Amino acid sequence: MKKQYAQLSSEYRLLLGPGPVEVSPRVLSAMSHPLYGHLDPNFFEIANESMELLRYVFQTKNALTLPMSGTGSAGMETVMVNLIEPGDKVIICVCGVFGERLRDAAGRFGAKVVSVEASMGEAIDPEKVREAFKAHKDIKLVAIVHAETSTGVKQPLEKISEIAKEYNALFVVDAVTSLGGVELKIDEWGIDACYSGTQKALSCPPGLSPVTFNDKAVEVIGNRKTKVSSWYFDLNMIKNYWGQERLYHHTAPINMVYGLREALLMVYEEGLTARFARHQLNSDAFVAGIEAMGLSMTVKNKEHRLPTLNAVNIPDGVNDALVRSFLLTKYGIEIGGGLGDFKGKAWRVGLMGESSKRNNVIQLLAALSDALLDQKFKVSVGQGIEAALAVYNGR
Amino acid sequence: MKKQYAQLSSEYRLLLGPGPVEVSPRVLSAMSHPLYGHLDPNFFEIANESMELLRYVFQTKNALTLPMSGTGSAGMETVMVNLIEPGDKVIICVCGVFGERLRDAAGRFGAKVVSVEASMGEAIDPEKVREAFKAHKDIKLVAIVHAETSTGVKQPLEKISEIAKEYNALFVVDAVTSLGGVELKIDEWGIDACYSGTQKALSCPPGLSPVTFNDKAVEVIGNRKTKVSSWYFDLNMIKNYWGQERLYHHTAPINMVYGLREALLMVYEEGLTARFARHQLNSDAFVAGIEAMGLSMTVKNKEHRLPTLNAVNIPDGVNDALVRSFLLTKYGIEIGGGLGDFKGKAWRVGLMGESSKRNNVIQLLAALSDALLDQKFKVSVGQGIEAALAVYNGR
């Protein structure tokens, strides 16, 4: 007897974790559109539109702007493996798990890594980057995380970009949890290479990683003395598929591109300014609610808080795992646990893309209050929601 | 004024190229299923079922059997980058573009490569592999393509596997265009590591790469002296997400996994034996039709012809590009052009998964006759179709 398999399960979920987040039915529907081949002229039109819309979202004119065929970390690998040659000296800024990941990757590709660090929950101090440049000659690039998903820190970028330029180094940015949800100006801020993911503020399923490189970065890649130490991520070949040449490299993930194009169209229709304001408002309301409930945010400096990823300190005596499973089983709500040093110490609440909604903020505050009361932690349900409503209504 | 973007275009297509191929509405529908998070217990159940079904299709008991988050070439990179350490000696068998790709990748990961070659359109001679082992000491692995998508060659594997074992080398197989369409017995044939793609005989959209490693290969990876020279493809971390530990590495491409699970279920329901027989029958009918039309197959040796990828020689005086654009514009039918040395010299007809159907064979033979007549190439439409029908009806 053959084992029987059931249909895909359909339990209700509201995704308010670090990603994937909620995806519009419009995007899901695009995912199930019949396929064109990856060399079909009709697909190339869809690919061109996707690149055009990515340039809009990245606020860039960079020709080399495309979705890599992998999740966000594939974008990280693409940027680092193409820009780094064995022996290169690089500065990696680390104030969380995703900075550590950049450092790990740089080392694997043969770089000599100089680390600039900050405590988890804090941003990198630009002066420390300057000190690193002073202490080490011939730095090829500085890499930094714009939105540290493990802590909820939003890193100011402009000052560090200026310092990188003073020392003639490339400026590389991880924008996985910021692109489409937080102001990010590739050209104006002098970012030479940047990568992101689709399952965060773009509100698309995971599976692609948008990347962008300016001419200076493209030149560095073109002038390498050694082959890129990856075949799958070698941009010298990949750019000839996404460019005019249309040379086959690997088979593009057709349906993922359909989904991304639709998700980007939704960003484009809403407009970046309105979208950033929406993300900020919902985060402000959430934070007001959390603080009114007597809880506190992990990132102390308000200027450095991400609206997309809101880290909340877990109060003493409250069991992390029990609260999250309460939310999941009683409400179908997913929030994220802590990562790295914050494991068991913080919850990570994603208010990104389709998940960044008034409805979601209100119901999460109520559900979280319920979960805390279940843990015998005293909290007033009303106070949290009232504080959030006050933000929405400008009271 | 903002540029206006149209809805996704919906021109009719029948995908009979080297992949992607036709995808069942059942699979497309699964692709658009609402998301669970990548750490949701419900997603882990779906992931477990996908691994279980992959083991069925690979005919293996290997615990480490999972879909990598990238297209087929990502599987190639995964296998090679994890098994190879700088300085390792490897034998790469090359008789087409995908063998060349393996050789290119092995070099990037620091291997000293010994090539064993055959002409395009021919299979590798096992005796040449033996000679390579005799000429070079301490070979760590032999890699070979089971189904050379660029030429349509089906490579017999068992003899070469035996030779690899005699010399205590790992046996690595590219099964991108064979898995699910052609007999492939991972355990019985002594294959230590194997990778495939989803958009070929599994009839799923592109975006994932199923891989499988036996205990011996896992041990080699676990005992590496150097870090894997890739972060994204490092199995020492990835196996702890797909295994019992459920440790976050990167965000799995949820909807692609939904699609793959559904596509694998369809393979499972049909059964491998029936599926292989269907692929063989449709290919036999197609070949009979092609030969009755006065054309010839690229692979001379019938034993070495793939039923999934049928390469047809382009007759003298016939314009490759015009024929393919005639098929695309008049019929919406996509077939593949030649790759590498066969560019302009061969067409590649994929009869895989949902594309491997009597209807498709018949209409392609008719449409191809039409295209050839349009090129003033004399061909009898009736003879090709009659010959195909004779195969179907055992006449």
Side-chain angles (χ1 to χ4, degrees), chain B residues 219-252:
Chain B
E219 203 183 315
V220 167
I221 298 170
N223 290 339
R224 289 178 63 102
K225 291 188 190 71
T226 58
K227 255 192 190 179
V228 175
S229 67
S230 163
W231 188 92
Y232 190 63
F233 295 123
D234 186 342
L235 281 171
N236 286 316
M237 298 190 283
I238 291 169
K239 71 175 184 194
N240 295 333
Y241 171 72
W242 289 88
Q244 292 307 314
E245 303 83 351
R246 299 304 183 188
L247 287 177
Y248 164 63
H249 175 259
H250 67 271
T251 306

Side-chain angles (χ1 to χ4, degrees), chain A residues 68-99:
Chain A
M68 292 294 296
S69 307
T71 56
S73 307
M76 188 248 328
E77 184 131 334
T78 300
V79 169
M80 300 304 270
V81 82
N82 279 278
L83 291 177
I84 292 175
E85 296 196 63
D88 283 346
K89 276 198 282 185
V90 304
I91 294 176
I92 309 286
C93 301
V94 181
C95 61
V97 169
F98 294 90

Side-chain angles (χ1 to χ4, degrees), chain B residues 104-125:
Chain B
D104 182 350
R108 288 171 194 250
F109 307 143
K112 293 180 186 154
V113 177
V114 177
S115 298
V116 172
E117 303 186 1
S119 303
M120 277 187 77
E122 289 176 17
I124 298 287
D125 176 359

Side-chain angles (χ1 to χ4, degrees), chain A residues 2 5 13 40 230 268, chain B residues 2 13 40 52 77 268:
Chain A
K2 271 190 170 184
Y5 289 86
R13 284 292 182 270
D40 193 305
S230 164
Y268 177 73
Chain B
K2 271 190 169 183
R13 284 292 182 271
D40 193 307
E52 205 169 276
E77 185 132 332
Y268 178 72

Side-chain angles (χ1 to χ4, degrees), chain B residues 126-142:
Chain B
E127 283 312 308
K128 284 197 172 175
V129 176
R130 185 183 295 282
E131 284 162 26
F133 271 113
K134 282 184 181 161
H136 303 271
K137 290 253 172 292
D138 302 320
I139 295 288
K140 184 178 192 176
L141 67 81
V142 188

Side-chain angles (χ1 to χ4, degrees), chain B residues 6 25 47-48 71 74 76 87 116 132 174 184 201 239 266-267 277 297 320 323 330 336 345 358 373 377:
Chain B
N48 282 344
T71 55
M76 188 250 323
V116 172
D174 172 333
L184 171 69
K239 71 175 184 194
M266 291 182 71
V267 179
M297 298 301 290
D320 171 26
V323 166
K330 306 274 186 209
K345 293 183 185 159
R358 187 161 170 154
L373 289 169
F377 181 83

Side-chain angles (χ1 to χ4, degrees), chain A residues 121-280:
Chain A
E122 289 175 16
I124 298 286
D125 177 359
E127 283 313 307
K128 285 198 172 174
V129 176
R130 184 184 296 283
E131 284 162 27
F133 271 112
K134 283 183 181 162
H136 302 271
K137 292 251 172 292
D138 303 321
I139 295 289
K140 183 178 191 178
L141 67 82
V142 188
I144 194 161
V145 178
H146 184 210
E148 181 48 79
T149 320
S150 64
T151 64
V153 162
K154 182 174 72 177
Q155 173 72 48
L157 295 174
E158 293 167 84
K159 185 74 197 157
I160 298 175
S161 176
E162 279 168 29
I163 296 168
K165 261 146 215 66
E166 275 176 48
Y167 289 89
N168 206 22
L170 292 166
F171 187 47
V172 168
V173 170
D174 171 333
V176 170
T177 305
S178 58
L179 184 70
V182 179
E183 189 69 88
L184 171 69
K185 298 177 172 180
I186 297 298
D187 293 356
E188 195 175 317
W189 293 355
I191 297 168
D192 297 301
C194 183
Y195 58 91
S196 188
T198 50
Q199 77 278 18
K200 311 275 185 178
L202 298 180
S203 238
C204 179
L208 290 175
S209 174
V211 296
T212 186
F213 295 80
N214 66 14
D215 290 347
K216 192 168 136 196
V218 172
E219 203 183 314
V220 166
I221 298 170
N223 291 336
R224 289 178 62 102
K225 292 188 190 71
T226 57
K227 255 192 191 179
V228 174
S229 68
S230 164
W231 187 92
Y232 190 64
F233 295 124
D234 186 342
L235 281 172
N236 285 316
M237 298 191 283
I238 292 169
K239 71 174 186 197
N240 296 332
Y241 171 73
W242 288 88
Q244 292 307 314
E245 303 82 353
R246 299 303 183 189
L247 287 176
Y248 164 64
H249 175 257
H250 66 272
T251 306
I254 307 296
N255 300 60
M256 283 302 313
V257 176
Y258 290 170
L260 175 61
R261 176 185 173 278
E262 204 66 34
L264 291 170
L265 263 180
M266 291 183 72
V267 178
Y268 177 73
E269 289 164 10
E270 181 174 13
L272 287 179
T273 309
R275 193 173 179 93
F276 297 154
R278 169 166 67 85
H279 279 76
Q280 192 61 56

